[in-house]
Amino acid sequence: MNTHPSRRARATRSVAGRPVLTAVAGAAMLLASGAAMAQQVAETQTVTVTGIRAAIESAISTKKDADTIVEAITSEDLGKLPEPSVADAMARLPGVAAQRNKGSGKAQSISVRGMSPDFNGGLLNGREVASSGNSRGVDFDLYPAELLNSVLVYKTPHAGLMGQGLSSTIDLRTIRPLDSRERQVALNYRDQRTGIDNGVPNGEGSGDRMSFSYVDQFMNRTLGVGIGAVKFTEKGAAQLRVNTWGGWTPTLDYNGEQVGVPGGFGRDIEYSDQEREGLMGVLQWRPSKNFETVLDVFQSKGRSAAFKKGIEGFVGGNSDGHNYRTSPPTLVNATVANGIATSGTIDNFKGVIRNHNEGADDKADAWGLNAKWKLDTWTLTGDIAQSKVTKTSARYETTAGLPGNGNTAQSQGFPATPGATGTVSWTGFDGSNHGDLKFTSSTDFADRSVVQLTDVMGWGGGPNSPQAGYVASPKLSDTIDNLRLSAQHDLSWGPVSRVSLGLNQVNREKRSTTQEGFLVINGGADGFAGVAVPGSSTLVVDGINIATWDPRNSLGSIYQLRPNTYGTVINRNWGVDEDVTTGYAKADMDGELFGFPFSGNFGAQLVRTKQRSSGFVNDAGQCAGTTPDTCTSQSGGKTYSDVLPSLNLSLEVAPDTVARLGLGKTLSRPKMNDMRASIDAPSIVTPTDPGEQSYFAAGGGNPELEPFRATALDISLEKYFGGNKGYVSFAGFYKDIQTYVLTLPQAFDFAPVLAPGAAVPDRGTVGILTRPTNGSGGSIHGFELAVNLPFSMLTPVLDGFGLFVNHSDTSSSITIRPGQLSGLDVGGAFNIPLPGLSRKVTNFKLYYEKHGLQIAVASRTRSDFLGEITDYKDDTAVTFIRGETVVDLQVGYTFPDTSFLKGLSLLFQGNNMTDALFRQYQTDRNNPTDTKRYGKTYLFGANYKF
């Protein structure tokens, strides 16, 4: 990003009579009315601004001086961003929305201008960073806020910006120690309480957060050192999860009438533990004004664990014939109103007790070395860097309940076992309030003489393939190597003041592997074998008492493992390699246009991409062993090029009033798991019309998948007040997306993947392969309004008070139909919204800061959207998430320099103060399929700086 301090020194001129956009005129006039009094104060005294206002004014200065449309966040002090996390801080910016992590309830992933997190480019100190998921979206949990100095969100690209995203490019920046005026040391400690008022008895958790920051300068301020370290732990926070099994209402016969009943239910109490350690180091050497080199390193290590204990089961819904309950069940003792059994009892209930453990260890390492030489009018830059993320997860699931077969018509011919089922009852059902129901059962699920560890329902396929639990160990690694060489030449050629040329090389390697298997009871002679639940602990889950235990170390003592090489497991083993070479040229401009001062840049990138991917034929019959790596491998790839021109203009149409224009082509690369070379074993489809021929059909990945591509137009009008104290802005954007990746059917010759001797349908080996494809696109457009107002601009009486509010409205014309979006499982014929798009996003922050006292109340609101979560199979699933408003509170006090406690500040933070729920749904927002309640989080701590 280029800044132009000279812009502030230029002579300004009156532009009376020139039009101002209606959307910002009222706010501008309101601020101007208090400008005279504020100016008098500014002329008579110099005030050192710190804390909240210092961070705001620094961010405003960055935004104002930029040649592109950007949003900025800067730290309030050393090691102190203005929010508890990076994602929380970014979610306050115009056009930016955060999705909370389903497990922890914390802001984790970021959507910009209505597009999913995968459409953001992620950078650390200007270099691309690896990701911890199946795709490219940056997991901001890996980057503790205490280790960052600022964040820049580029909403328009320029030719020198690498790793661009279609919606934005987010650059996380660590401190540069020579930019600091003096040595600084900061110590920070916060005590944490989580899950407050979350509705779970004894469900509150605890934790603490500690950080250390050190910045110093040596050798006559030619050598700078910056060090940061952070460690935090969270223990035992609990959440109640209400799962409605899709929230569907099947019908059962009752006295000759078909009445609606609940289909199924799940209730869990989930306990979560988290730990993270982070380290940042910067060494900056500037022996002369003509040479500078910077070495920076970053490391973050985390560990998370979740303990899920609950019960689930079919109520009125039909189950498969190989399951261990008769389907459909019988409805008795029902009260019926308007065709709905408002209360009732159903027989053949097989409740499944869940005692599941999940965990993950992740590690992010990044380093970079940058050197700049200034030779007369030339500046030469070399940069080499690496970013690597590894994540190892484990999922250990166990089931308990009534052993035996309760299905009198079991499809595999096994006889029913007396006492293998019970009953389940409910009250208060209206046909849609599935999440509000309370269930009771005739079975005492806490009685270890009644329930056992067993394959309760035959979900593994029946007695011949028992499943008393499940184990999965997915692993993921992502490595990015960066090399960049560039040259800048200062010149005076009309409006062109500088020309930059450069070459950037990025090599990326991502691998996903998993080993999975079914847990089988040791020595079980048949699929109905069961053993006693160890221990004596119990837990009441939403009114139902269940037996609980810790299944760790039970493999071998209770269970044996039957490896799983079904196609879905093979499908999770893949690799993607990318070599991306980018050459670019950019010209910076500075001058006058139509009599107005302007600055900007224009240029282009030539991007050559060579991609390769590997995978397997998802046919267990073609595997030589019991692990995916013994299956038939597949590979593929493609090479292609893109030209990405860009133009940015900033025009000072009046004193402290900037109009901006951005125009350019951008791209975002597809999800990396969509690029896998895997392909399912084809099945033969026989049409119902006897006149049509049978054919092969299958699904798979696409190693030849190309990026999402778009042409973007952005405009912005920004009015600044009191220098950098406040502003009002209006921005509009339009993105013409030429291609959007959808899951579509296409003709494919299956001959290379068929097993020897495989049957061939009437149409031969050419059939239908459904896989991610570059389909047609559409547009996404919207506007953003923002007001950042210190009340001292209105009257000195309100000095210290301030308001920051922004609102965005985004729409899209892209049409997505059911079945065209991987990971989304909904039926019906309707248009699906763009993933990540909330039509309306509003952020609000009211603060007071004076005489050392800081008080801030903030809220962020987003409307319903289509979000991404990790499902119970470790796959990325797409689901509708209800809109929410999250309210946070911050109160702090910094002791004055005249106090013996100089340098000490105290802080209280309250997050999710209104206890906003996390709610998923399929098609009806009023019928959530999954609800979690996290409660409030309180942090109290101290910061000492010297």
Side-chain angles (χ1 to χ4, degrees):
M1 183 187 71
N2 296 310
T3 60
H4 292 268
S6 61
R7 180 185 301 151
R8 291 189 293 269
R10 293 184 186 132
T12 58
R13 55 182 56 78
S14 172
V15 226
R18 296 192 181 273
V20 179
L21 287 175
T22 304
V24 300
M29 292 174 63
L30 181 64
L31 286 172
S33 67
M37 187 175 295
Q39 181 68 25
Q40 292 173 4
V41 174
E43 290 174 352
T44 57
Q45 58 183 337
T46 300
V47 179
T48 301
V49 181
T50 60
I52 296 175
R53 288 194 292 172
I56 290 174
E57 291 184 15
S58 178
I60 291 175
S61 178
T62 300
K63 179 181 178 68
K64 180 180 179 182
D65 292 338
D67 277 343
T68 59
I69 299 176
V70 303
E71 307 295 344
I73 304 164
T74 59
S75 60
E76 294 180 1
D77 212 330
L78 181 64
K80 185 183 177 185
L81 277 182
E83 302 290 343
S85 73
V86 178
D88 279 306
M90 283 191 287
R92 307 291 182 206
L93 298 174
V96 179
Q99 178 181 324
R100 292 191 288 174
N101 179 285
K102 184 180 177 180
S104 66
K106 299 177 181 178
Q108 181 183 41
S109 57
I110 291 296
S111 295
V112 179
R113 290 185 161 176
M115 306 194 74
S116 76
D118 287 322
F119 291 100
N120 298 317
L123 310 176
L124 178 63
N125 293 321
R127 309 165 182 120
E128 288 190 56
V129 291
S131 65
S132 62
N134 286 333
S135 193
R136 304 174 190 271
V138 176
D139 181 354
F140 292 102
D141 279 353
L142 298 177
Y143 301 93
E146 292 90 340
L147 302 184
L148 299 175
N149 188 58
S150 63
V151 181
L152 286 179
V153 180
Y154 293 88
K155 293 181 175 177
T156 60
H158 62 79
L161 182 64
M162 298 297 111
Q164 300 174 12
L166 199 144
S167 60
S168 77
T169 307
I170 300 173
D171 190 5
L172 311 177
R173 296 187 172 185
T174 56
I175 197 168
R176 291 296 176 255
L178 292 182
D179 294 341
S180 181
R181 296 189 305 270
E182 58 188 358
R183 174 192 300 160
Q184 297 182 71
V185 181
L187 302 172
N188 184 286
Y189 175 81
R190 280 181 256 176
D191 182 72
Q192 178 173 293
R193 294 290 181 268
T194 57
I196 297 170
D197 298 330
N198 66 358
V200 178
N202 302 314
E204 294 184 8
S206 62
D208 54 30
R209 194 175 187 112
M210 298 172 284
S211 67
F212 164 78
S213 300
Y214 168 74
V215 173
D216 208 346
Q217 302 80 32
F218 303 93
M219 300 168 58
N220 197 27
R221 293 190 57 84
T222 62
L223 181 67
V225 176
I227 299 173
V230 62
K231 180 178 180 179
F232 68 83
T233 60
E234 294 181 8
K235 291 287 185 180
Q239 306 105 28
L240 173 64
R241 177 188 177 217
V242 176
N243 186 295
T244 65
W245 275 33
W248 97 106
T249 305
T251 58
L252 293 176
D253 179 79
Y254 186 70
N255 295 334
E257 177 186 2
Q258 291 294 308
V259 299
V261 297
F265 78 99
R267 300 291 188 269
D268 285 341
I269 291 179
E270 302 180 2
Y271 301 86
S272 61
D273 294 345
Q274 294 188 51
E275 299 178 2
R276 183 160 299 280
E277 296 177 353
L279 178 66
M280 176 276 298
V282 179
L283 186 65
Q284 184 180 14
W285 185 41
R286 190 189 297 152
S288 70
K289 65 179 181 179
N290 294 324
F291 180 78
E292 178 183 5
T293 184
V294 180
L295 172 67
D296 55 79
V297 295
F298 190 100
Q299 184 181 85
S300 175
K301 296 189 296 183
R303 171 170 293 183
S304 62
F307 309 94
K308 303 180 179 182
K309 303 181 183 300
I311 185 170
E312 64 180 341
F314 285 101
V315 180
N318 289 338
S319 53
D320 292 333
H322 59 259
N323 290 159
Y324 304 154
R325 68 186 282 269
T326 301
S327 184
T330 303
L331 173 64
V332 297
N333 299 329
T335 301
V336 179
N338 300 318
I340 299 295
T342 58
S343 63
T345 299
I346 282 178
D347 65 0
N348 293 113
F349 177 63
K350 293 276 281 185
V352 181
I353 300 172
R354 296 154 43 95
N355 284 277
H356 298 352
N357 288 1
E358 298 177 5
D361 292 336
D362 62 64
K363 183 180 180 183
D365 289 295
W367 62 267
L369 177 64
N370 179 279
K372 293 181 180 180
W373 296 267
K374 186 171 178 59
L375 305 172
D376 194 19
T377 59
W378 286 90
T379 301
L380 306 179
T381 303
D383 191 280
I384 185 170
Q386 184 183 78
S387 173
K388 183 175 182 179
V389 172
T390 58
K391 185 175 183 179
T392 302
S393 304
R395 176 165 49 91
Y396 200 97
E397 303 177 354
T398 70
T399 59
L402 295 173
N405 175 33
N407 189 349
T408 57
Q410 212 275 336
S411 62
Q412 297 165 349
F414 286 84
T417 305
T421 62
T423 66
V424 63
S425 304
W426 70 92
T427 59
F429 186 46
D430 65 8
S432 62
N433 63 335
H434 298 267
D436 300 328
L437 296 182
K438 302 294 183 182
F439 293 92
T440 58
S441 176
S442 60
T443 303
D444 183 357
F445 288 100
D447 188 345
R448 282 169 163 77
S449 66
V450 174
V451 297
Q452 294 183 334
L453 299 176
T454 185
D455 180 0
V456 182
M457 275 292 292
W459 282 336
N464 296 323
S465 53
Q467 178 182 337
Y470 197 81
V471 174
S473 301
K475 297 180 180 179
L476 187 141
S477 65
D478 192 9
T479 302
I480 298 178
D481 293 316
N482 292 268
L483 174 63
R484 182 172 180 174
L485 302 172
S486 64
Q488 294 180 345
H489 180 47
D490 296 328
L491 50 79
S492 179
W493 184 35
V496 177
S497 59
R498 180 188 301 158
V499 173
S500 302
L501 303 172
L503 183 68
N504 190 76
Q505 178 69 38
V506 174
N507 299 326
R508 185 169 194 166
E509 179 183 288
K510 192 153 195 166
R511 298 291 183 267
S512 172
T513 62
T514 186
Q515 298 286 336
E516 303 186 18
F518 303 98
L519 292 179
V520 180
I521 299 297
N522 274 340
D526 58 59
F528 304 109
V531 297
V533 181
S536 59
S537 61
T538 62
L539 179 68
V540 177
V541 180
D542 206 29
I544 301 177
N545 199 17
I546 64 170
T548 60
W549 71 296
D550 186 347
R552 284 177 288 190
N553 302 317
S554 60
L555 186 62
S557 60
I558 295 178
Y559 300 105
Q560 62 190 44
L561 185 67
R562 177 166 60 89
N564 182 1
T565 53
Y566 291 164
T568 54
V569 175
I570 300 173
N571 208 32
R572 299 182 189 118
N573 292 263
W574 50 266
V576 174
D577 295 315
E578 291 177 336
D579 296 334
V580 181
T581 304
T582 303
Y584 71 91
K586 187 183 76 162
D588 294 320
M589 300 179 292
D590 199 356
E592 289 194 354
L593 183 64
F594 305 120
F596 298 111
F598 88 97
S599 62
N601 57 72
F602 66 92
Q605 294 182 349
L606 174 60
V607 185
R608 183 181 183 272
T609 303
K610 182 180 179 181
Q611 63 190 38
R612 303 171 303 280
S613 67
S614 60
F616 296 93
V617 177
N618 301 331
D619 183 357
Q622 297 190 54
C623 299
T626 58
T627 57
D629 58 352
T630 65
C631 302
T632 304
S633 62
Q634 289 275 106
S635 63
K638 190 171 186 178
T639 300
Y640 55 87
S641 297
D642 289 276
V643 177
L644 306 176
S646 61
L647 169 68
N648 292 279
L649 290 176
S650 299
L651 194 66
E652 193 172 0
V653 297
D656 289 323
T657 304
V658 181
R660 302 185 192 271
L661 169 69
L663 181 64
K665 286 190 173 182
T666 57
L667 61 80
S668 282
R669 303 188 186 281
K671 295 180 179 180
M672 303 192 81
N673 56 335
D674 282 349
M675 297 169 63
R676 69 191 187 279
S678 305
I679 186 171
D680 296 336
S683 59
I684 296 177
V685 177
T686 302
T688 56
D689 186 343
E692 295 185 12
Q693 295 179 319
S694 60
Y695 59 92
F696 275 138
N702 188 352
E704 299 180 0
L705 199 60
E706 295 191 24
F708 302 80
R709 296 184 174 96
T711 300
L713 171 66
D714 294 81
I715 60 171
S716 177
L717 181 64
E718 303 155 9
K719 174 62 179 176
Y720 296 89
F721 301 95
N724 299 320
K725 295 184 181 298
Y727 75 93
V728 178
S729 71
F730 168 84
F733 62 92
Y734 180 90
K735 298 181 186 293
D736 178 19
I737 302 176
Q738 286 86 38
T739 177
Y740 197 90
V741 175
L742 300 171
T743 302
L744 301 172
Q746 55 187 219
F748 186 82
D749 188 352
F750 290 94
V753 302
L754 295 177
V760 177
D762 299 334
R763 296 187 193 176
T765 60
V766 176
I768 301 297
L769 177 64
T770 302
R771 63 178 181 173
T773 306
N774 292 103
S776 60
S779 66
I780 182 169
H781 50 88
F783 67 86
E784 300 162 356
L785 293 170
V787 176
N788 199 322
L789 170 64
F791 290 171
S792 61
M793 299 298 299
L794 304 176
T795 171
V797 176
L798 296 177
D799 182 41
F801 287 95
L803 172 70
F804 179 51
V805 61
N806 61 71
H807 174 79
S808 63
D809 193 296
T810 308
S811 300
S812 172
S813 69
I814 296 175
T815 301
I816 305 175
R817 307 292 288 176
Q820 294 183 346
L821 196 64
S822 59
L824 179 63
D825 183 18
V826 296
F830 60 95
N831 289 341
I832 297 170
L834 202 64
L837 191 153
S838 285
R839 176 65 188 268
K840 299 180 184 299
V841 176
T842 303
N843 298 300
F844 171 91
K845 185 172 186 177
L846 178 66
Y847 65 88
Y848 174 81
E849 182 179 42
K850 195 172 183 180
H851 304 306
L853 178 64
Q854 299 177 356
I855 303 174
V857 179
S859 71
R860 63 176 191 265
T861 301
R862 68 180 303 185
S863 56
D864 293 11
F865 66 101
L866 200 59
E868 291 186 352
I869 61 170
T870 301
D871 66 13
Y872 70 96
K873 299 174 293 185
D874 303 314
D875 292 331
T876 298
V878 182
T879 179
F880 288 97
I881 299 176
R882 274 184 56 167
E884 61 187 15
T885 297
V886 179
V887 178
D888 301 325
L889 171 67
Q890 178 174 313
V891 179
Y893 181 75
T894 301
F895 289 90
D897 291 346
T898 56
S899 169
F900 74 95
L901 295 176
K902 171 186 175 181
L904 177 65
S905 60
L906 305 178
L907 177 70
F908 168 80
Q909 290 177 311
N911 306 125
N912 195 27
M913 298 297 290
T914 55
D915 194 14
L917 302 178
F918 183 93
R919 290 173 289 193
Q920 300 171 217
Y921 65 94
Q922 287 190 335
T923 55
D924 182 3
R925 71 183 311 273
N926 294 316
N927 185 14
T929 58
D930 208 316
T931 301
K932 291 195 73 172
R933 183 180 178 186
Y934 306 106
K936 308 177 186 69
T937 296
Y938 294 157
L939 299 98
F940 180 79
N943 179 278
Y944 185 62
K945 177 184 172 183
F946 57 92

